Amino acid sequence: MNVGIIGLGLIGGSMAVDLRRRGFASHILGVENERVNAEAALKIGLADEIVPLEECVSRSDIIVLAIPVGAAVKLLPQVLDMVKESDKVVIDVCSVKEAMCQVAQGHSARSRYVATHPMAGTEYSGPWAAMPGLFDGRACIFCDVEESSPKAVKLVEKLYDVLNMRVTYMRSDAHDMHVAYVSHISHITSFALALTVLDKEKDEKHIFDLASGGFSSTVRLAKSSADMWVPILGLNHDNVLRVIDTYIDKMKEFRDAIDAYDEEKIRALIEEGNKIKRIIR
Amino acid sequence: MNVGIIGLGLIGGSMAVDLRRRGFASHILGVENERVNAEAALKIGLADEIVPLEECVSRSDIIVLAIPVGAAVKLLPQVLDMVKESDKVVIDVCSVKEAMCQVAQGHSARSRYVATHPMAGTEYSGPWAAMPGLFDGRACIFCDVEESSPKAVKLVEKLYDVLNMRVTYMRSDAHDMHVAYVSHISHITSFALALTVLDKEKDEKHIFDLASGGFSSTVRLAKSSADMWVPILGLNHDNVLRVIDTYIDKMKEFRDAIDAYDEEKIRALIEEGNKIKRIIR
């Protein structure tokens, strides 16, 4: 099967690696506007060819939009225009889904589009960040599948089965609320932590000599790229704001308990937080 | 050498493992008030014997206080009383140092005490959490060493050399400010994140099906024990409050930029946060 991948970064590139070595893709056509990324993707062997968008769509059986969500929202209708008269399938892999589904709504080729969110990644980006096995064992969310043709959904399920993902089905609005809690807020708390500590570093040059494993894991996501995150925060604006406000409230509750040094209250907050053990290993 | 370890949890227990297998300790005397922990420590083989405090101090050449800082602050003067007439050495491994040094100040056996903070750990606690190699390659901070006898400092340097730690020297007040930034705040942001998401879970039972690697690493420290953290937040109160306030300011700056969807401002904040790449791998 010919697979077209628009955007050969961390997600698109990692998909290319496993779809090829596991036999799903016989030929991979990449679209990559950044010249350096295109050359790197070819050199690493992520794609067989880098081609213009129109050629990629016309020669591929399945087309993957793996670009930041702001660009994907604009590109999806154009790609759907190109696949109207065919049984080609189009998917995206963005972490905001309601805006994607809205922009496709009513399009004559809507049924050819399947909205998916493979929940895997690292804090790195670009073709250099692509890696085998990135998706193995992780969750992939399909949104609003009743808008897609059953045949298209089936093909995309097969694709994610090859990537060893567990597929979950959800309304796109529910998806966006959920990811605000379990993904987007984690990035924002990391960015704020990085900003807090970098700010202090201006006066204290050696502060980071002490940075330990705990700090590294908590701040890791602050390495994530602005290109990816600026549009996410715009397109999942309402959910993200709601979570930030809850988060600030919780932080203030903690702050005030520490300020008053209310031992019982601090203990209660920590022990409530400890319940996260139920959920993560 | 006989090593006495008061508190056979994650830190004390992990020290016992490596000090023995690397030949520094020929005999390990443990003090452990929790019966279950004491039995587990013996069963795992962390200590050769569990003995009362007085016996541990009288039979050990070096005594390690590896209990939560609130208890350590109270115990240190008592232990110093017991070692007055000897050349025994006493260390603690707590992550707050000014309060420890203050309580020892002026004691006739002050010079036998070396204040240390091995910056290693996991989010787990108890003898079950003890593991070999925990300290390898990490930083250990010695505070106010001019108050300790050079011979005592030398012995403790040897102990941490056996644990493969890089030793750094610092004033205890500077230490407490630094760790507020690179360790204590990370725990607080994790607790607040756990509380935020657990709160939402009350309405949304399946929210965690989606929890991905990013969330797990950001929230990991929220599994840390209240027994350890309640006294830390009390004894490093002023530094911790100052960092939390800076953190809340940064978070609000981020929040307001998202609220207004000021793309340039959001991008600038993320790219400033990205500079953390300079510091952590």
Side-chain angles (χ1 to χ4, degrees), chain A residues 184-201:
Chain A
H184 300 172
I185 186 69
S186 295
H187 287 80
I188 296 163
T189 62
S190 285
F191 288 130
L193 179 60
L195 290 168
T196 301
V197 180
L198 288 162
D199 203 44
K200 185 66 178 177
E201 197 205 17

Side-chain angles (χ1 to χ4, degrees), chain A residues 20 45 49 82 108 117 140 146 152 161 165 172 196 242-243:
Chain A
R20 185 205 303 282
E49 318 170 48
M82 296 179 206
S108 61
H117 179 201
C140 182
E146 62 286 358
D161 188 52
M165 301 198 86
S172 56
T196 301
R242 207 167 301 131
V243 187

Side-chain angles (χ1 to χ4, degrees), chain B residues 76-93:
Chain B
L76 180 59
Q78 295 177 41
V79 173
L80 289 180
D81 287 345
M82 299 179 203
V83 301
K84 250 188 271 197
E85 313 292 314
S86 70
D87 60 357
K88 293 175 191 294
V89 172
V90 180
I91 71 172
D92 80 299
V93 296

Side-chain angles (χ1 to χ4, degrees), chain A residues 14 18 59 82-83 90 102 113-114 134 139 143 146 206 210 276:
Chain A
S14 299
D18 281 339
R59 290 174 56 201
M82 296 179 206
V83 301
V90 180
Q102 271 169 358
Y113 164 59
V114 184
L134 181 68
C143 291
E146 62 286 358
H206 301 295
L210 309 184
I276 206 74

Side-chain angles (χ1 to χ4, degrees), chain A residues 57-79:
Chain A
V57 176
S58 78
R59 290 174 56 201
S60 300
D61 302 299
I62 183 163
I63 298 111
V64 180
L65 270 67
I67 52 180
V69 63
V73 160
K74 287 179 195 137
L75 193 62
L76 179 60
Q78 295 176 42
V79 173

Side-chain angles (χ1 to χ4, degrees), chain A residues 11 15 62-67 69 72 76 89-98 100-101 110 112-120 135 139-145 148 152-161 163 165-170 172 175-176 179:
Chain A
I11 299 296
M15 276 195 161
I62 183 163
I63 298 111
V64 180
L65 270 67
I67 52 180
V69 63
L76 179 60
V89 172
V90 180
I91 70 172
D92 80 301
V93 296
C94 300
S95 82
V96 181
K97 297 259 74 85
E98 199 175 6
M100 291 298 293
C101 289
R110 173 62 184 88
R112 314 243 43 84
Y113 164 59
V114 184
T116 75
H117 179 201
M119 297 206 53
F135 307 99
C140 182
I141 303 156
F142 282 37
C143 291
D144 301 353
V145 281
S148 310
V153 173
K154 212 160 188 175
L155 179 66
V156 180
E157 283 168 345
K158 198 179 151 202
L159 180 149
Y160 283 111
D161 188 52
L163 296 177
M165 301 198 86
R166 310 178 266 116
V167 172
T168 306
Y169 305 84
M170 206 176 273
S172 56
H175 166 277
D176 287 5
V179 295

